Amino acid sequence: MKKIDMHHHLVEEAGYAGNLLREMDKFEIEKLGLIGMGKLFKGMFVKSGHDGTNADDNRVEEVVNQHPGRFFGFGYIRCGVDTEAKVSELHQRGFKGLKFHIPKKPYNDKKYFPIYAKAQELSLPCLFHCGIINMPHPCPEEGIASGHMRPIHLEEIAQTFPELKIIIAHMGVQDYLTTSIMLRLLPNVYADLSGTTPGWRAYLAPGEWLRLLWFPHAPDKIMFGSDVHFSEFAPTVELYDKIMADCGWDDAAKRKIYHGNAWKLFSL
């Protein structure tokens, strides 16, 4: 089944983009959203030796421009460091979405609202990391707190900016129940089920996914994202298939989750 992977990090390995394209073909991944978050995340997902590069916005832009038919870029925004000016700059450079991570204060701090207003104005979907984060390297001076990245903080943003396209990464991890309610009630909130395999998602009891995603429009609110090294595509797809089977979703619903929802949201 054709897929769009809308959550994938550019890994700092020699030849990663070429190897990634090969694996995308193997798993029918037509397009993929690349993310680079810079020096604080240096070495993330590296398995075969670091290549000396820095996976940041500039590197993502370079790789996307080399393969524009297969990759699209997310620009990285750190609230409390970046401003709405960077949102405009990223849009001008052709980035299709924004990735938010490790804000200095909770996502719904009013100081960050001009960033969201600009993203709404420019129709840039916003992918928010939610859940516990284990940084690749200790950085105690950065004030990183997972409590700043809870899905409930996005509820106020969704209400204040009703045209802003909000994507909760990893189904909110430990806050997956909150996420499921937000998906049901808030028209502009979506989620992916990405993350390390097997991870917490594989260990929910049989039927638990149906209890979380029981509402009829649930397949319209979930998107396929990997957030793993390309070598883990197989267990990632297997886990998505298992979750969709647990929910009893048919092929039409699966096509939305694997492809159609991201195609519409990112205007691909």
Side-chain angles (χ1 to χ4, degrees), residues 133-160:
I133 173 66
N134 184 22
M135 298 295 289
H137 310 282
C139 43
E141 71 285 356
E142 292 294 334
I144 294 167
S146 294
H148 293 167
M149 300 179 279
R150 299 185 63 195
I152 195 61
H153 298 317
L154 303 178
E155 186 265 345
E156 182 180 3
I157 299 167
Q159 301 277 14
T160 306

Side-chain angles (χ1 to χ4, degrees), residues 30 42 62 67 81 94 107 130 134 155 163 204 233 259:
E30 178 186 17
K42 196 171 185 66
E62 180 182 338
H67 307 280
V81 175
Y107 282 136
C130 293
N134 184 22
E155 186 265 345
E163 301 303 317
L204 293 187
F233 275 156
H259 191 275

